[in-house]
Amino acid sequence: MKIGELAKLTDCSVQTIRYYEKEQLMKSPERSEGNFRLYNKSSLKQLMFIKQCRTLDLTLSEIRQLLELQSSPSIQCNSVNKMIDSHIQQVEQRIKELNSLKEQLNYLSNTCSNNGTIEQCGILQKLTSDVAKNV
Amino acid sequence: MKIGELAKLTDCSVQTIRYYEKEQLMKSPERSEGNFRLYNKSSLKQLMFIKQCRTLDLTLSEIRQLLELQSSPSIQCNSVNKMIDSHIQQVEQRIKELNSLKEQLNYLSNTCSNNGTIEQCGILQKLTSDVAKNV
DNA sequence: GTTGACTCTATAGTTACTATAGACTTTATA
DNA sequence: TATAAAGTCTATAGTAACTATAGAGTCAAC
Ligand SMILES: [Zn+2]
Ligand SMILES: [Zn+2]
Ligand SMILES: [Zn+2]
Ligand SMILES: [Zn+2]
């Protein structure tokens, strides 16, 4: 199949597929006589694996590592574990941050009566006075 | 004060301050005879305001809008409100996403006994079989 | 008068794409 | 068969918000 079909099947953009190839996440496929990329089922699997990893927010570099590991099936897998666990921690950390952010934003939002002028706006006043506090 | 002192006071990097100036978030300060930037208390306030907004994850473009609004104190403030409320929604959305991500990652993590080989690794198997499922 | 710390501008790199431009190939239609 | 449309090719630049570097100039102290 040509790149456009692969793109549709995987819900990736054509450019993204070419990008993954350039970044060595996808093997360079064969080419047709007219120099078009030709993919097969194995390419499809490869790309779906990458996509799956991306939905888990693994970086391209981490995915590259996983792909490398897969090519040495008899070594220990604890590095895979470490990677996933460190991700979980990062995600947890980010959730904490965002929850605190949400609180702050809600607090700010409540200080605005929503029918006054910029000058009277509690949000801007709060943003400015927090500044003063911090200095 | 010179840029290094401002950087220390605000816990920003020198490059970031210059970057904010280039991006028109900070006014271009006066210069010394030797062409060094010279800042005052007002610059300090400005930068702290920006920093405060950044900790709330406002984009530089949004901060620029806020700064512009502040210079017309008598217009309505509802646009400020809209901006903040739309942020809150985005943050909530992201928290949801991350929670679901965390679940998936935890599930993956549990499928690894942590003392086998790559070939036996439940994580990689799961990542690959999820792929198959999606196709 | 020279060392060292600081500053200056301009430029490139980061991440994971996305969006062009300009040329070529293939498919569909008249 | 001619041509138009759709798809593909490479190469390059843009995105956000910085960060890092090179190479040169400034300033204070010893
Ligand atoms: Zn990671
Ligand atoms: Zn308001
Ligand atoms: Zn926003
Ligand atoms: Zn494992």
Side-chain angles (χ1 to χ4, degrees):
Chain A
M1 74 186 103
K2 283 183 284 179
I3 198 167
E5 196 183 340
L6 182 63
K8 252 180 216 157
L9 283 176
T10 55
D11 200 31
C12 279
S13 79
V14 165
Q15 295 105 299
T16 298
I17 298 174
R18 292 200 276 244
Y19 174 70
Y20 287 162
E21 182 184 337
K22 206 180 105 201
E23 292 296 312
Q24 317 234 35
L25 288 158
M26 298 275 291
K27 287 185 215 146
S28 298
E30 294 179 19
R31 299 291 183 118
S32 72
E33 229 173 286
N35 200 33
F36 286 9
R37 288 171 178 82
L38 295 178
Y39 296 97
N40 53 28
K41 261 204 168 171
S42 153
S43 331
L44 182 58
K45 268 197 179 182
Q46 238 181 94
L47 185 49
M48 292 302 289
F49 179 84
I50 296 170
K51 254 215 119 184
Q52 180 69 15
C53 291
R54 288 295 297 138
T55 69
L56 296 173
D57 261 3
L58 295 173
T59 63
L60 297 193
S61 150
E62 286 165 333
I63 298 172
R64 215 179 281 115
Q65 286 169 53
L66 286 181
L67 291 169
E68 269 168 37
L69 286 172
Q70 279 182 320
S71 63
S72 355
S74 54
I75 66 170
Q76 288 290 112
C77 81
N78 44 7
S79 48
V80 178
N81 241 298
K82 264 187 210 150
M83 186 184 292
I84 299 296
D85 286 345
S86 116
H87 257 288
I88 294 175
Q89 278 184 6
Q90 281 171 40
V91 170
E92 280 171 354
Q93 177 61 31
R94 187 66 187 144
I95 290 174
K96 267 187 209 161
E97 284 169 17
L98 287 180
N99 274 321
S100 141
L101 195 57
K102 197 179 108 183
E103 261 180 52
Q104 283 178 270
L105 286 169
N106 272 325
Y107 174 62
L108 263 187
S109 178
N110 288 335
T111 62
C112 177
S113 64
N114 206 10
N115 49 15
T117 64
I118 291 286
E119 203 164 24
Q120 300 158 339
C121 181
I123 294 176
L124 287 172
Q125 281 171 23
K126 208 74 202 51
L127 278 170
T128 307
S129 72
D130 282 355
V131 165
K133 236 180 7 190
N134 285 345
V135 184
Chain B
M1 72 187 103
K2 282 183 287 181
I3 197 166
E5 195 181 343
L6 182 63
K8 249 180 220 158
L9 283 176
T10 55
D11 201 31
C12 279
S13 78
V14 166
Q15 296 105 298
T16 297
I17 297 174
R18 291 199 277 244
Y19 174 69
Y20 287 163
E21 182 184 338
K22 206 179 105 204
E23 293 296 309
Q24 317 236 34
L25 288 158
M26 297 274 294
K27 286 184 215 152
S28 298
E30 292 180 22
R31 299 290 185 119
S32 73
E33 228 172 287
N35 201 33
F36 286 10
R37 288 171 178 82
L38 296 177
Y39 295 98
N40 52 29
K41 262 203 167 171
S42 152
S43 332
L44 182 58
K45 269 197 177 181
Q46 239 179 96
L47 184 50
M48 294 301 291
F49 178 85
I50 295 170
K51 254 214 118 185
Q52 178 70 14
C53 292
R54 288 296 297 138
T55 69
L56 296 173
D57 261 5
L58 295 172
T59 63
L60 297 193
S61 149
E62 288 166 330
I63 297 172
R64 215 178 282 114
Q65 286 169 51
L66 286 180
L67 291 168
E68 269 168 38
L69 286 172
Q70 279 182 319
S71 64
S72 357
S74 55
I75 66 170
Q76 287 290 111
C77 80
N78 43 8
S79 49
V80 177
N81 241 298
K82 264 186 212 152
M83 184 183 296
I84 299 296
D85 286 345
S86 116
H87 257 288
I88 293 174
Q89 278 184 6
Q90 280 171 44
V91 169
E92 281 171 353
Q93 177 60 30
R94 187 66 185 142
I95 290 174
K96 267 186 210 161
E97 284 168 16
L98 288 179
N99 273 322
S100 140
L101 195 57
K102 199 181 107 185
E103 262 179 51
Q104 284 177 267
L105 286 168
N106 272 326
Y107 174 62
L108 263 187
S109 178
N110 287 334
T111 64
C112 176
S113 65
N114 206 11
N115 49 16
T117 64
I118 290 287
E119 204 166 20
Q120 300 158 337
C121 181
I123 293 177
L124 285 173
Q125 281 171 22
K126 206 76 202 54
L127 278 170
T128 307
S129 72
D130 282 355
V131 165
K133 234 180 12 191
N134 286 344
V135 181

